[in-house]
Amino acid sequence: MLLFWCMLNRISQYFKSNFSTAYFIIGLGIFFRLYYFFYNPPFWRDEIWVALGSQHFSLTSFLLDSGGLVHAPLFMFIIKLSTIFFGLSDWSFRVPIVIVSIVNLFLFYNIIKKLLPKSCLTLALILFCFNDNLIFYSVQLKPYQFDVFAVLVLLNFLYTLHSARLTTKNVCFYSILGALFVWLSQPS
């Protein structure tokens, strides 16, 4: 890891700003996630049960009756929708998770840009983009990337709420968003 950090410091010297360095690091994070996605690792047993379980329910049953579901109903709804659009294959189960994993990179950068000093941005971004657990679970049929997504979006809105005035419109929007994330992510 230290060697990788030294290489990235050398590479970042050729860039003119932290902006281009950050997007270079995010680009490498996207590359690793897509490489692992196209590597197409086999499903684990629990992922097979989730995949089979998502096919036995209709789209409306995920939202109306969540009895028997292991994961959050909106997560299962998104997985079912993906298999309807892309067909029934292991790739179609993984597409929404990879997309959310890539979106998480940009959300994390948006948050640390507001909260951390510029000297810490590169290190924080490297730790997030090259985290082997986040890369590994970016193609697994598990809701962990959606959990990270929920935390990052809620942190972003919390920061926005802290710096903005509290109006009735904001309260309604954040209430609906919080209720939606309960259906998307169980830890939220």
Side-chain angles (χ1 to χ4, degrees), residues 45-179:
R45 179 181 289 180
D46 57 341
E47 293 175 295
I48 293 171
W49 286 111
V50 171
L52 289 174
S54 71
Q55 297 309 305
H56 293 303
F57 292 98
S58 67
L59 284 174
T60 56
S61 66
F62 287 124
L63 301 177
L64 299 177
D65 179 31
S66 62
L69 292 178
V70 177
H71 298 299
L74 196 54
F75 169 75
M76 296 297 285
F77 179 81
I78 291 170
I79 297 300
K80 176 72 174 184
L81 205 60
S82 174
T83 59
I84 289 172
F85 285 138
F86 300 116
L88 192 59
S89 71
D90 54 345
W91 293 64
S92 64
F93 289 109
R94 293 179 171 145
V95 165
I97 299 166
V98 169
I99 291 171
V100 167
S101 174
I102 291 170
V103 169
N104 287 345
L105 299 175
F106 292 101
L107 283 173
F108 183 76
Y109 178 64
N110 190 30
I111 291 171
I112 64 170
K113 195 170 49 172
K114 296 174 186 174
L115 298 177
L116 294 178
K118 290 190 181 215
S119 60
C120 299
L121 286 178
T122 306
L123 179 62
L125 201 55
I126 286 172
L127 291 175
F128 188 82
C129 288
F130 304 127
N131 186 330
D132 56 344
N133 289 322
L134 291 176
I135 293 172
F136 176 76
Y137 287 115
S138 67
V139 296
Q140 302 296 320
L141 188 55
K142 298 179 189 274
Y144 303 141
Q145 290 297 328
F146 282 90
D147 297 339
V148 172
F149 175 74
V151 167
L152 291 175
V153 169
L154 291 175
L155 279 175
N156 197 13
F157 283 123
L158 182 66
Y159 182 80
T160 305
L161 182 68
H162 178 68
S163 62
R165 283 189 26 225
L166 194 60
T167 63
T168 307
K169 182 180 175 183
N170 287 345
V171 170
C172 290
F173 177 72
Y174 295 132
S175 300
I176 291 170
L177 184 72

Side-chain angles (χ1 to χ4, degrees), residues 18-45:
N18 277 342
F19 179 77
S20 59
T21 304
Y23 282 106
F24 176 74
I25 294 169
I26 290 172
L28 283 176
I30 292 170
F31 171 76
F32 287 135
R33 281 157 177 78
L34 290 178
Y35 176 79
Y36 195 52
F37 174 72
F38 290 116
Y39 176 71
N40 198 16
F43 279 143
W44 295 83
R45 179 181 289 180

